[in-house]
Amino acid sequence: NAGVTQTPKFRVLKTGQSMTLLCAQDMNHEYMYWYRQDPGMGLRLIHYSVGEGTTAKGEVPDGYNVSRLKKQNFLLGLESAAPSQTSVYFCASGGGWAYTEAFFGQGTRLTVV
Amino acid sequence: DQQVKQNSPSLSVQEGRISILNCDYTNSMFDYFLWYKKYPAEGPTFLISISSIKDKNEDGRFTVFLNKSAKHLSLHIVPSQPGDSAVYFCAARFNDMRFGAGTRLTVKP
C-alpha cells in the first residue's frame, strides 16, 4: 500500500520556469491538500480539493494552480516560478468528513534560483 | 490570518518527564483538532485527535486536552522518550485543515 506518493522529490527551477508537482493516493480519499512548509511558518495550505473535479483556495494560493481531474491525483502547478516559492511542498489526502486525519506524502523540495 | 498558533518554537525535557505542547486557535467553527509528528525529511504523521465535543482524548502515552472556552488545546506526553524528539504540529479542521507553526521537542536521555 503506497499511501500518498509525490513526484518529484527534488527540483531546481530557474525564475520564470514552470513545473507541475504530482500527488497520487491509493486510499480512495475524497479530500486532498497541498501545503508548503517554510521555516518558522509551519504548514500553510495552498489549495485543496473535496472531490474529483473540485478545487478551492487555501491560505496562500497566489502563484499556484491545481487540478483534480481524477480522484486519485492532485496536481500543483507553478506557471512562472519565483524565488519566494522555494519551499518544501507536502501533499496530503484524507481528512474531511469521512476521515479524521490526513495522510501525508514524503514532500518535494523545490528551489527556485 | 493564522487561525492556529503554536507560540513555543521549541521545548526541551528530560527523559521520563512530562512534555506539554500547547496550541491556540481563533476559529470557533473548527470541529476536530489533531496533532501530527514530523521527523526531518519525512512527511508529518498523525498522532492523536480530539473532537470539539470532547475535552480529553487519551492514547497510550499521549493525551490531548481541549478547552473550548479558552480556544486552547494541549498535548501531554508521559513519560517522554528520546524517540519522541521531533517537530509537533497542531492542526484544526473545518472545511479544510489548518496547521500551526510547530514546536520542536527535544527529549534528553
Side-chain angles (χ1 to χ4, degrees):
Chain A
N1 189 348
V4 179
T5 303
Q6 291 182 231
T7 310
K9 299 217 172 4
F10 302 94
R11 185 72 185 268
V12 178
L13 280 181
K14 292 183 179 179
T15 298
Q17 285 185 320
S18 64
M19 78 162 294
T20 300
L21 282 67
L22 171 64
C23 177
Q25 55 100 357
D26 61 4
M27 295 173 282
N28 202 36
H29 289 157
E30 294 291 340
Y31 278 62
M32 295 187 75
Y33 309 83
W34 275 107
Y35 292 90
R36 59 178 289 175
Q37 185 190 13
D38 302 292
M41 304 294 288
L43 291 159
R44 291 183 294 169
L45 181 64
I46 304 171
H47 286 280
Y48 67 103
S49 168
V50 302
E52 181 178 316
T54 75
T55 62
K57 294 181 180 180
E59 300 171 82
V60 288
D62 294 341
Y64 304 95
N65 56 76
V66 287
S67 64
R68 183 96 181 271
L69 299 179
K70 294 183 179 180
K71 186 177 183 178
Q72 64 268 32
N73 296 335
F74 196 28
L75 278 63
L76 178 70
L78 287 73
E79 290 188 349
S80 180
S84 61
Q85 294 177 304
T86 294
S87 187
V88 181
Y89 292 85
F90 287 100
C91 175
S93 75
W97 304 113
Y99 300 90
T100 302
E101 72 269 24
F103 299 85
F104 281 80
Q106 294 283 69
T108 296
R109 182 172 293 277
L110 175 66
T111 302
V112 183
V113 298
Chain B
D1 174 24
Q2 188 124 21
Q3 298 183 22
V4 181
K5 299 179 182 179
Q6 294 177 258
N7 293 319
S8 298
S10 63
L11 174 68
S12 181
V13 300
Q14 209 66 34
E15 181 179 6
R17 305 296 292 269
I18 185 171
S19 296
I20 300 176
L21 294 93
N22 294 302
C23 179
D24 297 294
Y25 63 95
T26 58
N27 188 346
S28 58
M29 298 297 288
F30 289 136
D31 66 339
Y32 253 99
F33 302 89
L34 307 94
W35 285 93
Y36 283 80
K37 180 178 180 180
K38 186 183 182 303
Y39 293 116
E42 295 183 9
T45 55
F46 171 73
L47 192 58
I48 191 169
S49 66
I50 187 167
S51 165
S52 60
I53 63 174
K54 296 187 176 181
D55 55 20
K56 178 182 175 181
N57 187 28
E58 193 171 352
D59 183 2
R61 296 185 298 114
F62 303 91
T63 303
V64 56
F65 295 92
L66 176 62
N67 182 334
K68 284 188 69 176
S69 61
K71 292 192 175 66
H72 177 84
L73 64 155
S74 60
L75 174 68
H76 293 211
I77 306 174
V78 184
S80 301
Q81 300 173 354
D84 295 330
S85 296
V87 176
Y88 288 78
F89 289 101
C90 169
R93 191 193 82 178
F94 178 46
N95 287 323
D96 56 33
M97 192 161 55
R98 302 292 175 104
F99 283 77
T103 297
R104 181 177 302 278
L105 173 65
T106 303
V107 181
K108 298 180 179 179

